[in-house]
Amino acid sequence: MNIDLSQFVGEFLQESFEGLDLMESSLLTFTGEAEVVDSIFRVAHSIKGGAGTFGFSEIALFTHGVETLLDKMRHDADFVSEELINLLLEAVDLLRSMLQATQDDNGLDQYLVTDLNRKIEKILGSEVLANVADDDATGALQDEDSSVAKCLWLIDFKPSLEMLKSGNEPVFIFAALAELGVLIVTPNVDNLPEIKDFEADSLYICWHLKLQVAGNDQQKMAEEIQEVFEWVEDFCDLKITSVIEAPTITASVVAASEPMLHLADANNQNSEDSDTEIIDKMINSRSTIGGDVGSVRVDTEKLDELMNRVGELVVTQAMLAQALDSQIKDGYQNLRLEEGLLQLERNTRDLQEGVMRMRMMPISFVFNRFRRLVHDVSNTLNKKVRLEIRGAQTEIDKTVMEKIGDPLTHLIRNALDHGLESPQQRIENGKPEVGTIVLSAYHQNGFVVIDIIDDGRGLDLKKILKKAIALDLISQEQLLSDDEIKALIFRPGFTTADELSELSGRGVGMDVVMRNIESLGGGVSVVSEEGRGSSFSVKVPLTLAIIEGQLVHVDEDVYVLPLVSIIETVFIKTSNIKTIGAHSYFMDYREEYLHLIDLKKFLEKNNDNSDAAANDIFTAKHESILVIITESAGKKVGLVIDALSGQQQFVVKPLETNFKKVQGLIGGTILGDGSVALILDAAGLIAREELRNNVVPINKEVVL
Amino acid sequence: MNVGQAQDRDNIIAGDIEGLQYLSFFLDNEEYAIDILRVQELRGWVPVTRVPDMPDYLKGVLNLRGTIIPVVDLRRRFSLPEVSYGPTTVVIVIKVICADIERVMGIIVDAVAETYIFNQAEIQPSPQVGGSISSDFITGLVAHEDRMIVLMDIDALMNSEEMAVKVETHLSEQVAEQTE
C-alpha cells in the first residue's frame, strides 16, 4: 500500500471544517427533527472515518465518543437537552481546533480533550444510571470511553462463495463493526476468478479487518464483535484476535465509513490501482455527504482571473462597437458586421453575468455564524432570544460577504446587548419573555439589503441627545430632527453605554460599522420606535467587481461616480453661491447649506496658483454651474462638474495592484476606448476636502 | 579568441559568469541601463489618465491589457529639462519588486538604445552624486566605447517614498486612535 495519502489530507480537512460548520448550525437550530440528527451524525461519522484513514487516531477516537452521543440522540428523543447541545457545540469547537492543529502541525491541548471526554462520559453515564435497562451500545461505549487502554482487534473474515446467496451483505457487517470503534478494512482479492468464470452472486473476496476500540472489558467486546457475525458464522471462516496497546493506526486503505466501495472495486485485479480508486471514490462520496451534489471546487484566484479576462472582452467588444459607429458615421455600411457585433455584445454580457454568478454564494454562509453568536451572547447576558433568519439563500459576491461579517456581528451584538431588554423587563412591559431578532436578506435594485430587526426597547432619543451633548458632539442649543438624532449614533466616539460592557461599548462602535459598509460602497440606516424595537438596514452592493456608475466630465478628464452616492444633479446660479472665508463655497440645497467641492481643484496640487484658477468657476464668468449632490454617512456635498454623459456598469480595477491607494478614489476602470477612468469615492472626497480646508470635524476632538 | 568570446557569452547566458544583460535608454543625451530581466515590454507613448495628489513626474495611469499601471516620467523625476513627447518617446514597462510584491510600472524615456552584457569587472562603483539623481538609485557606471553608461537600480528608484504603497491604516485603527 504505497499510495501517498497526504495529498488527500487537505481535502479531508477542508471537508471536515465545512462539515463542522454544518454541524454547528444544525445544532443551533435543532428542535428534535430526526433528519437533522442524521445529518449531524453523518458529518461526525465521515470525520471519524477520514481521521482513521489518515492516521489521526486522536481525532478519530474523540469523534467516536461524539458519535456515541449522537447515536443516543438519534434513538432517544428524551436524551436531548440544553446541556447536551452545549456539550456537542463544545465538541464541535474542540474538533475544529484538533483539525486546525493537524493542519498547522501543532500539538493538541490534551487537557481539553480529556476534559471534554469526561463530560461526554458524564452525560452518558448519568443517563445509564438513570436508565438501567439501557441498550447494549451505550453500555459498551460507556466502558470504552471511561478506559484509557486502547485495544486493537484483528479479524480475519473469509466468507464462503455462498454467503451472498444466504442474504447476508458484508457491507452491513462492516457498518455494524464501525459502530464499535475505528475500523480499517483491507480486502484480499487473490481469489478472484477470470472474468469469464465470474459469477455475479458469488463472493470471491475475503477481508482483513482492524478494529480499534477504547475499552477494558475484553470479554464483553469479544462478545459484541462475535454478535455482529452471528448470522454469517455458518458461511465463513472467522478468526478474531485482540492486541492490547494498539499501535497508532497507519493509513492503510480505507475507513469504515465507506465499506461498500470494496465491493464496487471487487473486479479490479490490481490491488494498488483499486486502492487509488477507492480513495478517489471516498473523497467523492464525502463531498456528496456534504450535500453539494454536482459542484466543483475552484480557486477564487482562478475565478478572479476569468473575471479579468471577461472584463477585457467587454472592453474589446465596446472598442469594436465604437469603431463601427464611427465608420457608420462616415457612410460605411456593413449589415453583417453590425449584426455580428450585436450578437457579440449579447454574448459578452451573458458571459460576464455568468462569471459574476459563479462568484456568488448564498448569504447563509455568514448568517449561520450568527446562530452561534446569538446563542452564546444571550447565555452570557441571561437573555432569552429567538433568532429568525429570512432570505438565507440570497446570493452575494464572495468578497462582499467576507467583508460584511464583522459589521453584522457588531450590529447583532448591539441588538442583543443594548436593544433587547432582560426577560423581567420584557414581562413588565407586557412583551413576550423571549426577545426576537430577525436577520433578513433580500435583493433590491442591484443591492443586497440585510435588515437586523429587534423587538427591544428601541433607540432612546433623549438619552442619545443627552449623551451627544455630554460628549460635545453637538452643542446644547442645536435643534435636531429625530432622524438627525438617530444619525448621531454613527458619529465616531459615540456610545450610550454608561459603563463599558464586555460585549459592546468599547468606544468604537457604529461609526466603524458605517465606515466599513461605506468602504464597500453601501450604507447603513436605522428605523426605530421607542419601546417597540429598532431595525438597522445594511445595504451593500451585490459585488465589488462591478459598479453602476455615472460618467462625469471635468475639463478633459473623465471620472466615474458610483450611482449609489448620487442624490441628484442640479444647475445652480453662481449668484446663489455663498462664501465663508476665503475658499469655502456653499450652496442652498432644499434649505440646507451644502459645501461645494470643485472637482477641477481635486486634481490640482496644493500650490498657490491653483486657488486663482479654481476661484474662476464661482465668479460671474459662468452664469450657472452643474452640481452633483452626493451623500456619504449622512453628509451631503455638492461636486462641481462640467458635464455628464452615460450611465453604465463599470468593472472596478484596484489601483493598488501596481500602484497605491489614492484618497478620494475607489479605483479605476477601463473605458470603451481603452483609456483609464478613475472612479470617485464620495466618502473619501468629503474626508479629503475636510482635511484640505482644515475644517476640523466637530467630533474629532472627542476624548473618552 | 573568437571561440573564447562565444564561450564567454554562453557562460553568461548560462549564468556561469557573473554578468548581466542590460537594456539601455537615453535621457537628455545620457545613456542609462537597467536589468533586462525587469523589462516586460516596450510601448509607444499614449496619453495617460491623470491621478490627483501625485508628484508631477507621475504622469498618470494607463491600461496595460486590463490592468492599471502607473507611468513615471524619468526626465521629470530627475529634474531634467522637459521635452514634448515624440515618436521615439518610449514607455518601458518594468517589473518592480517591493517587499516581495511584484508590481508593474511604466517609465517614460527619450528613446531605447541597446542591450549589453556587462560582467562585474566592468562595472565601476557608483560615485557619490549630489543633485537630482541620488547615488542611491545608481548601482554602478560602465565605460563603453568612450561613453559612460549609468546602471540604474530600478527597485530603489520606484520604491522611493512617493511611489511606495503606503501602509493602509485600517479605518477601525484610525477610529481607535481618535477615541483613545
Side-chain angles (χ1 to χ4, degrees), chain A residues 481 483-484 487 518 564-568 585-597 627-639 682-683 685-687 689-690:
Chain A
S481 69
D483 283 344
E484 281 170 312
E518 276 191 345
V564 58
S565 48
I566 299 179
I567 299 175
E568 67 174 311
Y585 299 92
F586 290 85
M587 64 175 274
D588 189 355
Y589 172 73
R590 294 171 204 261
E591 295 169 356
E592 220 180 320
Y593 283 105
L594 298 188
H595 194 209
L596 285 174
I597 298 175
V627 175
I628 292 189
I629 314 288
T630 61
E631 184 184 38
S632 157
K635 280 183 214 159
K636 296 191 191 83
V637 290
L639 300 178
L685 279 176
I686 294 171
E689 196 62 20
E690 276 171 353

mmCIF file of all heavy atoms in Angstrom, chain A residues 481 483-484 487 518 564-568 585-597 627-639 682-683 685-687 689-690:
data_model
loop_
_atom_site.group_PDB
_atom_site.id
_atom_site.type_symbol
_atom_site.label_atom_id
_atom_site.label_comp_id
_atom_site.label_asym_id
_atom_site.label_seq_id
_atom_site.Cartn_x
_atom_site.Cartn_y
_atom_site.Cartn_z
ATOM 1 N N SER A 481 -33.687 67.150 14.275
ATOM 2 C CA SER A 481 -34.861 66.326 13.999
ATOM 3 C C SER A 481 -34.594 64.922 14.539
ATOM 4 O O SER A 481 -33.462 64.562 14.841
ATOM 5 C CB SER A 481 -35.105 66.258 12.501
ATOM 6 O OG SER A 481 -34.088 65.502 11.884
ATOM 7 N N ASP A 483 -34.584 62.138 13.013
ATOM 8 C CA ASP A 483 -33.651 61.409 12.147
ATOM 9 C C ASP A 483 -32.215 61.842 12.388
ATOM 10 O O ASP A 483 -31.296 61.025 12.372
ATOM 11 C CB ASP A 483 -34.011 61.621 10.672
ATOM 12 C CG ASP A 483 -35.216 60.772 10.290
ATOM 13 O OD1 ASP A 483 -35.531 59.839 11.078
ATOM 14 O OD2 ASP A 483 -35.815 61.036 9.246
ATOM 15 N N GLU A 484 -32.045 63.127 12.608
ATOM 16 C CA GLU A 484 -30.688 63.621 12.856
ATOM 17 C C GLU A 484 -30.141 63.084 14.168
ATOM 18 O O GLU A 484 -28.954 62.788 14.277
ATOM 19 C CB GLU A 484 -30.675 65.153 12.853
ATOM 20 C CG GLU A 484 -30.681 65.734 11.458
ATOM 21 C CD GLU A 484 -30.908 67.231 11.454
ATOM 22 O OE1 GLU A 484 -31.832 67.715 12.137
ATOM 23 O OE2 GLU A 484 -30.154 67.918 10.764
ATOM 24 N N ALA A 487 -29.041 59.684 13.599
ATOM 25 C CA ALA A 487 -27.786 59.652 12.847
ATOM 26 C C ALA A 487 -26.577 59.861 13.756
ATOM 27 O O ALA A 487 -25.459 59.500 13.405
ATOM 28 C CB ALA A 487 -27.808 60.702 11.741
ATOM 29 N N GLU A 518 -19.555 51.529 4.176
ATOM 30 C CA GLU A 518 -19.385 52.529 3.126
ATOM 31 C C GLU A 518 -18.181 52.240 2.256
ATOM 32 O O GLU A 518 -18.194 52.519 1.066
ATOM 33 C CB GLU A 518 -19.277 53.921 3.731
ATOM 34 C CG GLU A 518 -20.647 54.488 3.997
ATOM 35 C CD GLU A 518 -20.598 55.944 4.346
ATOM 36 O OE1 GLU A 518 -19.495 56.432 4.656
ATOM 37 O OE2 GLU A 518 -21.656 56.579 4.305
ATOM 38 N N VAL A 564 -24.748 54.981 -6.464
ATOM 39 C CA VAL A 564 -25.284 54.865 -5.112
ATOM 40 C C VAL A 564 -25.072 56.136 -4.289
ATOM 41 O O VAL A 564 -25.858 56.461 -3.421
ATOM 42 C CB VAL A 564 -24.693 53.635 -4.389
ATOM 43 C CG1 VAL A 564 -23.186 53.713 -4.335
ATOM 44 C CG2 VAL A 564 -25.246 53.471 -3.011
ATOM 45 N N SER A 565 -24.008 56.884 -4.618
ATOM 46 C CA SER A 565 -23.759 58.062 -3.786
ATOM 47 C C SER A 565 -24.373 59.331 -4.378
ATOM 48 O O SER A 565 -24.240 60.403 -3.805
ATOM 49 C CB SER A 565 -22.250 58.239 -3.569
ATOM 50 O OG SER A 565 -21.565 58.140 -4.781
ATOM 51 N N ILE A 566 -25.029 59.199 -5.529
ATOM 52 C CA ILE A 566 -25.618 60.393 -6.147
ATOM 53 C C ILE A 566 -27.052 60.580 -5.658
ATOM 54 O O ILE A 566 -27.855 59.656 -5.692
ATOM 55 C CB ILE A 566 -25.624 60.268 -7.688
ATOM 56 C CG1 ILE A 566 -24.192 60.133 -8.201
ATOM 57 C CG2 ILE A 566 -26.312 61.479 -8.327
ATOM 58 C CD1 ILE A 566 -24.083 59.990 -9.691
ATOM 59 N N ILE A 567 -27.361 61.780 -5.194
ATOM 60 C CA ILE A 567 -28.746 62.076 -4.829
ATOM 61 C C ILE A 567 -29.446 62.706 -6.024
ATOM 62 O O ILE A 567 -30.461 62.230 -6.488
ATOM 63 C CB ILE A 567 -28.822 63.021 -3.615
ATOM 64 C CG1 ILE A 567 -28.153 62.358 -2.411
ATOM 65 C CG2 ILE A 567 -30.269 63.362 -3.298
ATOM 66 C CD1 ILE A 567 -28.071 63.245 -1.206
ATOM 67 N N GLU A 568 -28.882 63.796 -6.527
ATOM 68 C CA GLU A 568 -29.418 64.373 -7.757
ATOM 69 C C GLU A 568 -28.406 65.326 -8.374
ATOM 70 O O GLU A 568 -27.379 65.649 -7.778
ATOM 71 C CB GLU A 568 -30.752 65.065 -7.512
ATOM 72 C CG GLU A 568 -30.659 66.304 -6.650
ATOM 73 C CD GLU A 568 -32.001 67.024 -6.584
ATOM 74 O OE1 GLU A 568 -32.607 67.260 -7.646
ATOM 75 O OE2 GLU A 568 -32.454 67.348 -5.471
ATOM 76 N N TYR A 585 -17.036 77.436 -0.273
ATOM 77 C CA TYR A 585 -18.229 77.818 -1.018
ATOM 78 C C TYR A 585 -19.382 76.921 -0.609
ATOM 79 O O TYR A 585 -19.203 75.720 -0.413
ATOM 80 C CB TYR A 585 -17.974 77.697 -2.518
ATOM 81 C CG TYR A 585 -16.864 78.587 -2.969
ATOM 82 C CD1 TYR A 585 -15.547 78.112 -3.007
ATOM 83 C CD2 TYR A 585 -17.122 79.912 -3.323
ATOM 84 C CE1 TYR A 585 -14.513 78.942 -3.392
ATOM 85 C CE2 TYR A 585 -16.091 80.740 -3.715
ATOM 86 C CZ TYR A 585 -14.787 80.258 -3.747
ATOM 87 O OH TYR A 585 -13.781 81.078 -4.114
ATOM 88 N N PHE A 586 -20.525 77.549 -0.494
ATOM 89 C CA PHE A 586 -21.705 76.789 -0.093
ATOM 90 C C PHE A 586 -22.849 77.084 -1.029
ATOM 91 O O PHE A 586 -22.921 78.153 -1.633
ATOM 92 C CB PHE A 586 -22.110 77.151 1.351
ATOM 93 C CG PHE A 586 -21.122 76.642 2.359
ATOM 94 C CD1 PHE A 586 -19.987 77.379 2.666
ATOM 95 C CD2 PHE A 586 -21.321 75.419 2.983
ATOM 96 C CE1 PHE A 586 -19.058 76.911 3.577
ATOM 97 C CE2 PHE A 586 -20.400 74.951 3.893
ATOM 98 C CZ PHE A 586 -19.259 75.690 4.193
ATOM 99 N N MET A 587 -23.730 76.100 -1.160
ATOM 100 C CA MET A 587 -24.929 76.329 -1.957
ATOM 101 C C MET A 587 -26.153 76.012 -1.110
ATOM 102 O O MET A 587 -26.089 75.253 -0.149
ATOM 103 C CB MET A 587 -24.933 75.455 -3.199
ATOM 104 C CG MET A 587 -24.983 73.962 -2.883
ATOM 105 S SD MET A 587 -25.122 72.951 -4.354
ATOM 106 C CE MET A 587 -26.875 72.933 -4.586
ATOM 107 N N ASP A 588 -27.251 76.620 -1.506
ATOM 108 C CA ASP A 588 -28.502 76.418 -0.794
ATOM 109 C C ASP A 588 -29.205 75.239 -1.457
ATOM 110 O O ASP A 588 -29.549 75.298 -2.635
ATOM 111 C CB ASP A 588 -29.338 77.699 -0.919
ATOM 112 C CG ASP A 588 -30.552 77.631 -0.015
ATOM 113 O OD1 ASP A 588 -30.763 76.562 0.598
ATOM 114 O OD2 ASP A 588 -31.265 78.638 0.057
ATOM 115 N N TYR A 589 -29.344 74.163 -0.741
ATOM 116 C CA TYR A 589 -29.988 72.989 -1.321
ATOM 117 C C TYR A 589 -31.112 72.561 -0.395
ATOM 118 O O TYR A 589 -30.873 72.046 0.691
ATOM 119 C CB TYR A 589 -28.967 71.865 -1.497
ATOM 120 C CG TYR A 589 -29.568 70.542 -1.919
ATOM 121 C CD1 TYR A 589 -30.048 70.355 -3.217
ATOM 122 C CD2 TYR A 589 -29.657 69.480 -1.032
ATOM 123 C CE1 TYR A 589 -30.594 69.168 -3.603
ATOM 124 C CE2 TYR A 589 -30.192 68.273 -1.404
ATOM 125 C CZ TYR A 589 -30.668 68.128 -2.701
ATOM 126 O OH TYR A 589 -31.205 66.930 -3.080
ATOM 127 N N ARG A 590 -32.333 72.770 -0.825
ATOM 128 C CA ARG A 590 -33.504 72.401 -0.020
ATOM 129 C C ARG A 590 -33.334 72.826 1.438
ATOM 130 O O ARG A 590 -33.364 71.996 2.357
ATOM 131 C CB ARG A 590 -33.756 70.902 -0.111
ATOM 132 C CG ARG A 590 -34.155 70.479 -1.513
ATOM 133 C CD ARG A 590 -34.185 68.980 -1.659
ATOM 134 N NE ARG A 590 -33.999 68.649 -3.064
ATOM 135 C CZ ARG A 590 -34.988 68.343 -3.886
ATOM 136 N NH1 ARG A 590 -36.206 68.300 -3.465
ATOM 137 N NH2 ARG A 590 -34.738 68.076 -5.156
ATOM 138 N N GLU A 591 -33.084 74.099 1.617
ATOM 139 C CA GLU A 591 -32.957 74.698 2.948
ATOM 140 C C GLU A 591 -31.806 74.113 3.761
ATOM 141 O O GLU A 591 -31.852 74.020 4.974
ATOM 142 C CB GLU A 591 -34.270 74.582 3.729
ATOM 143 C CG GLU A 591 -35.363 75.402 3.069
ATOM 144 C CD GLU A 591 -36.728 75.114 3.652
ATOM 145 O OE1 GLU A 591 -36.807 74.215 4.517
ATOM 146 O OE2 GLU A 591 -37.678 75.764 3.228
ATOM 147 N N GLU A 592 -30.784 73.668 3.053
ATOM 148 C CA GLU A 592 -29.625 73.129 3.731
ATOM 149 C C GLU A 592 -28.424 73.746 3.016
ATOM 150 O O GLU A 592 -28.440 73.840 1.787
ATOM 151 C CB GLU A 592 -29.600 71.615 3.504
ATOM 152 C CG GLU A 592 -29.192 70.788 4.695
ATOM 153 C CD GLU A 592 -29.197 69.302 4.357
ATOM 154 O OE1 GLU A 592 -30.098 68.839 3.651
ATOM 155 O OE2 GLU A 592 -28.270 68.630 4.780
ATOM 156 N N TYR A 593 -27.430 74.173 3.768
ATOM 157 C CA TYR A 593 -26.248 74.700 3.085
ATOM 158 C C TYR A 593 -25.240 73.591 2.865
ATOM 159 O O TYR A 593 -24.800 72.955 3.818
ATOM 160 C CB TYR A 593 -25.630 75.859 3.877
ATOM 161 C CG TYR A 593 -26.414 77.121 3.691
ATOM 162 C CD1 TYR A 593 -27.239 77.611 4.677
ATOM 163 C CD2 TYR A 593 -26.342 77.803 2.467
ATOM 164 C CE1 TYR A 593 -27.989 78.765 4.484
ATOM 165 C CE2 TYR A 593 -27.085 78.955 2.261
ATOM 166 C CZ TYR A 593 -27.914 79.427 3.268
ATOM 167 O OH TYR A 593 -28.642 80.545 3.051
ATOM 168 N N LEU A 594 -24.941 73.353 1.605
ATOM 169 C CA LEU A 594 -24.003 72.268 1.291
ATOM 170 C C LEU A 594 -22.665 72.836 0.862
ATOM 171 O O LEU A 594 -22.597 73.814 0.121
ATOM 172 C CB LEU A 594 -24.542 71.393 0.147
ATOM 173 C CG LEU A 594 -25.847 70.663 0.381
ATOM 174 C CD1 LEU A 594 -26.104 69.714 -0.769
ATOM 175 C CD2 LEU A 594 -25.804 69.888 1.690
ATOM 176 N N HIS A 595 -21.629 72.167 1.306
ATOM 177 C CA HIS A 595 -20.288 72.553 0.908
ATOM 178 C C HIS A 595 -20.072 72.158 -0.546
ATOM 179 O O HIS A 595 -20.484 71.081 -0.955
ATOM 180 C CB HIS A 595 -19.284 71.842 1.813
ATOM 181 C CG HIS A 595 -17.919 72.403 1.705
ATOM 182 N ND1 HIS A 595 -16.795 71.658 1.919
ATOM 183 C CD2 HIS A 595 -17.492 73.648 1.409
ATOM 184 C CE1 HIS A 595 -15.744 72.409 1.751
ATOM 185 N NE2 HIS A 595 -16.135 73.624 1.456
ATOM 186 N N LEU A 596 -19.475 73.048 -1.321
ATOM 187 C CA LEU A 596 -19.210 72.723 -2.725
ATOM 188 C C LEU A 596 -17.760 72.286 -2.900
ATOM 189 O O LEU A 596 -16.842 72.927 -2.414
ATOM 190 C CB LEU A 596 -19.468 73.948 -3.607
ATOM 191 C CG LEU A 596 -20.932 74.310 -3.859
ATOM 192 C CD1 LEU A 596 -21.006 75.615 -4.621
ATOM 193 C CD2 LEU A 596 -21.638 73.205 -4.633
ATOM 194 N N ILE A 597 -17.573 71.173 -3.577
ATOM 195 C CA ILE A 597 -16.215 70.717 -3.886
ATOM 196 C C ILE A 597 -16.030 70.820 -5.391
ATOM 197 O O ILE A 597 -16.809 70.247 -6.162
ATOM 198 C CB ILE A 597 -16.002 69.254 -3.440
ATOM 199 C CG1 ILE A 597 -16.173 69.121 -1.921
ATOM 200 C CG2 ILE A 597 -14.628 68.758 -3.874
ATOM 201 C CD1 ILE A 597 -16.107 67.700 -1.427
ATOM 202 N N VAL A 627 -23.949 70.848 -10.650
ATOM 203 C CA VAL A 627 -23.522 70.292 -9.365
ATOM 204 C C VAL A 627 -24.186 68.938 -9.144
ATOM 205 O O VAL A 627 -25.395 68.794 -9.330
ATOM 206 C CB VAL A 627 -23.892 71.245 -8.203
ATOM 207 C CG1 VAL A 627 -23.549 70.612 -6.857
ATOM 208 C CG2 VAL A 627 -23.166 72.570 -8.347
ATOM 209 N N ILE A 628 -23.396 67.967 -8.788
ATOM 210 C CA ILE A 628 -23.947 66.669 -8.397
ATOM 211 C C ILE A 628 -23.998 66.648 -6.882
ATOM 212 O O ILE A 628 -22.974 66.858 -6.219
ATOM 213 C CB ILE A 628 -23.074 65.495 -8.893
ATOM 214 C CG1 ILE A 628 -23.122 65.403 -10.409
ATOM 215 C CG2 ILE A 628 -23.548 64.177 -8.294
ATOM 216 C CD1 ILE A 628 -22.467 64.161 -10.955
ATOM 217 N N ILE A 629 -25.193 66.407 -6.328
ATOM 218 C CA ILE A 629 -25.298 66.310 -4.879
ATOM 219 C C ILE A 629 -25.004 64.862 -4.494
ATOM 220 O O ILE A 629 -25.673 63.931 -4.962
ATOM 221 C CB ILE A 629 -26.719 66.663 -4.389
ATOM 222 C CG1 ILE A 629 -27.227 67.936 -5.064
ATOM 223 C CG2 ILE A 629 -26.766 66.764 -2.874
ATOM 224 C CD1 ILE A 629 -26.580 69.198 -4.617
ATOM 225 N N THR A 630 -23.979 64.673 -3.675
ATOM 226 C CA THR A 630 -23.650 63.318 -3.246
ATOM 227 C C THR A 630 -23.761 63.237 -1.734
ATOM 228 O O THR A 630 -23.715 64.251 -1.040
ATOM 229 C CB THR A 630 -22.213 62.913 -3.638
ATOM 230 O OG1 THR A 630 -21.331 63.813 -3.006
ATOM 231 C CG2 THR A 630 -22.006 62.940 -5.115
ATOM 232 N N GLU A 631 -23.899 62.020 -1.291
ATOM 233 C CA GLU A 631 -24.081 61.828 0.139
ATOM 234 C C GLU A 631 -23.209 60.676 0.626
ATOM 235 O O GLU A 631 -23.034 59.672 -0.060
ATOM 236 C CB GLU A 631 -25.542 61.513 0.441
ATOM 237 C CG GLU A 631 -25.806 61.403 1.930
ATOM 238 C CD GLU A 631 -27.235 60.999 2.222
ATOM 239 O OE1 GLU A 631 -27.781 60.167 1.479
ATOM 240 O OE2 GLU A 631 -27.793 61.519 3.191
ATOM 241 N N SER A 632 -22.689 60.840 1.803
ATOM 242 C CA SER A 632 -21.942 59.764 2.439
ATOM 243 C C SER A 632 -22.044 59.955 3.936
ATOM 244 O O SER A 632 -21.823 61.051 4.437
ATOM 245 C CB SER A 632 -20.481 59.813 1.992
ATOM 246 O OG SER A 632 -19.680 59.175 2.934
ATOM 247 N N ALA A 633 -22.381 58.913 4.624
ATOM 248 C CA ALA A 633 -22.514 58.949 6.091
ATOM 249 C C ALA A 633 -23.389 60.099 6.543
ATOM 250 O O ALA A 633 -23.106 60.752 7.529
ATOM 251 C CB ALA A 633 -21.138 59.021 6.756
ATOM 252 N N GLY A 634 -24.442 60.335 5.799
ATOM 253 C CA GLY A 634 -25.367 61.387 6.180
ATOM 254 C C GLY A 634 -24.878 62.786 5.854
ATOM 255 O O GLY A 634 -25.572 63.760 6.063
ATOM 256 N N LYS A 635 -23.633 62.896 5.340
ATOM 257 C CA LYS A 635 -23.112 64.210 4.968
ATOM 258 C C LYS A 635 -23.325 64.422 3.487
ATOM 259 O O LYS A 635 -22.979 63.549 2.688
ATOM 260 C CB LYS A 635 -21.615 64.292 5.273
ATOM 261 C CG LYS A 635 -21.318 64.562 6.722
ATOM 262 C CD LYS A 635 -19.826 64.696 6.889
ATOM 263 C CE LYS A 635 -19.400 64.157 8.226
ATOM 264 N NZ LYS A 635 -17.993 63.811 8.256
ATOM 265 N N LYS A 636 -23.861 65.547 3.143
ATOM 266 C CA LYS A 636 -24.079 65.841 1.733
ATOM 267 C C LYS A 636 -23.089 66.912 1.287
ATOM 268 O O LYS A 636 -22.797 67.837 2.026
ATOM 269 C CB LYS A 636 -25.500 66.351 1.504
ATOM 270 C CG LYS A 636 -26.572 65.340 1.815
ATOM 271 C CD LYS A 636 -27.922 65.836 1.296
ATOM 272 C CE LYS A 636 -29.047 64.995 1.818
ATOM 273 N NZ LYS A 636 -29.478 65.394 3.186
ATOM 274 N N VAL A 637 -22.575 66.747 0.075
ATOM 275 C CA VAL A 637 -21.765 67.813 -0.515
ATOM 276 C C VAL A 637 -22.163 67.949 -1.981
ATOM 277 O O VAL A 637 -22.777 67.052 -2.548
ATOM 278 C CB VAL A 637 -20.246 67.519 -0.459
ATOM 279 C CG1 VAL A 637 -19.719 67.594 0.945
ATOM 280 C CG2 VAL A 637 -19.909 66.199 -1.101
ATOM 281 N N GLY A 638 -21.809 69.092 -2.547
ATOM 282 C CA GLY A 638 -22.049 69.287 -3.964
ATOM 283 C C GLY A 638 -20.732 69.199 -4.715
ATOM 284 O O GLY A 638 -19.754 69.829 -4.341
ATOM 285 N N LEU A 639 -20.704 68.376 -5.774
ATOM 286 C CA LEU A 639 -19.499 68.275 -6.592
ATOM 287 C C LEU A 639 -19.716 69.099 -7.854
ATOM 288 O O LEU A 639 -20.690 68.883 -8.576
ATOM 289 C CB LEU A 639 -19.219 66.815 -6.971
ATOM 290 C CG LEU A 639 -18.990 65.820 -5.833
ATOM 291 C CD1 LEU A 639 -18.784 64.424 -6.403
ATOM 292 C CD2 LEU A 639 -17.776 66.229 -5.004
ATOM 293 N N ALA A 682 -17.128 59.079 -2.895
ATOM 294 C CA ALA A 682 -17.722 60.257 -2.263
ATOM 295 C C ALA A 682 -17.220 60.440 -0.825
ATOM 296 O O ALA A 682 -16.848 61.539 -0.427
ATOM 297 C CB ALA A 682 -19.236 60.153 -2.281
ATOM 298 N N ALA A 683 -17.184 59.340 -0.068
ATOM 299 C CA ALA A 683 -16.758 59.426 1.334
ATOM 300 C C ALA A 683 -15.328 59.952 1.412
ATOM 301 O O ALA A 683 -15.009 60.826 2.226
ATOM 302 C CB ALA A 683 -16.868 58.066 1.994
ATOM 303 N N LEU A 685 -13.722 61.723 -0.834
ATOM 304 C CA LEU A 685 -13.661 63.117 -1.286
ATOM 305 C C LEU A 685 -14.022 64.066 -0.154
ATOM 306 O O LEU A 685 -13.382 65.102 0.030
ATOM 307 C CB LEU A 685 -14.633 63.340 -2.441
ATOM 308 C CG LEU A 685 -14.183 62.915 -3.828
ATOM 309 C CD1 LEU A 685 -15.307 63.131 -4.826
ATOM 310 C CD2 LEU A 685 -12.956 63.719 -4.243
ATOM 311 N N ILE A 686 -15.067 63.690 0.583
ATOM 312 C CA ILE A 686 -15.513 64.545 1.684
ATOM 313 C C ILE A 686 -14.430 64.626 2.761
ATOM 314 O O ILE A 686 -14.056 65.710 3.213
ATOM 315 C CB ILE A 686 -16.846 64.029 2.269
ATOM 316 C CG1 ILE A 686 -17.943 64.176 1.214
ATOM 317 C CG2 ILE A 686 -17.202 64.778 3.545
ATOM 318 C CD1 ILE A 686 -19.248 63.509 1.560
ATOM 319 N N ALA A 687 -13.877 63.464 3.113
ATOM 320 C CA ALA A 687 -12.836 63.430 4.141
ATOM 321 C C ALA A 687 -11.633 64.263 3.709
ATOM 322 O O ALA A 687 -11.034 64.989 4.493
ATOM 323 C CB ALA A 687 -12.420 61.988 4.397
ATOM 324 N N GLU A 689 -11.585 66.747 1.540
ATOM 325 C CA GLU A 689 -11.897 68.164 1.495
ATOM 326 C C GLU A 689 -11.848 68.762 2.902
ATOM 327 O O GLU A 689 -11.388 69.875 3.093
ATOM 328 C CB GLU A 689 -13.281 68.353 0.865
ATOM 329 C CG GLU A 689 -13.574 69.759 0.424
ATOM 330 C CD GLU A 689 -12.615 70.263 -0.653
ATOM 331 O OE1 GLU A 689 -11.973 69.418 -1.314
ATOM 332 O OE2 GLU A 689 -12.503 71.495 -0.814
ATOM 333 N N GLU A 690 -12.305 67.971 3.869
ATOM 334 C CA GLU A 690 -12.281 68.447 5.250
ATOM 335 C C GLU A 690 -10.844 68.683 5.687
ATOM 336 O O GLU A 690 -10.532 69.666 6.345
ATOM 337 C CB GLU A 690 -12.953 67.432 6.178
ATOM 338 C CG GLU A 690 -14.460 67.617 6.212
ATOM 339 C CD GLU A 690 -15.176 66.500 6.939
ATOM 340 O OE1 GLU A 690 -14.507 65.501 7.298
ATOM 341 O OE2 GLU A 690 -16.383 66.623 7.126
#
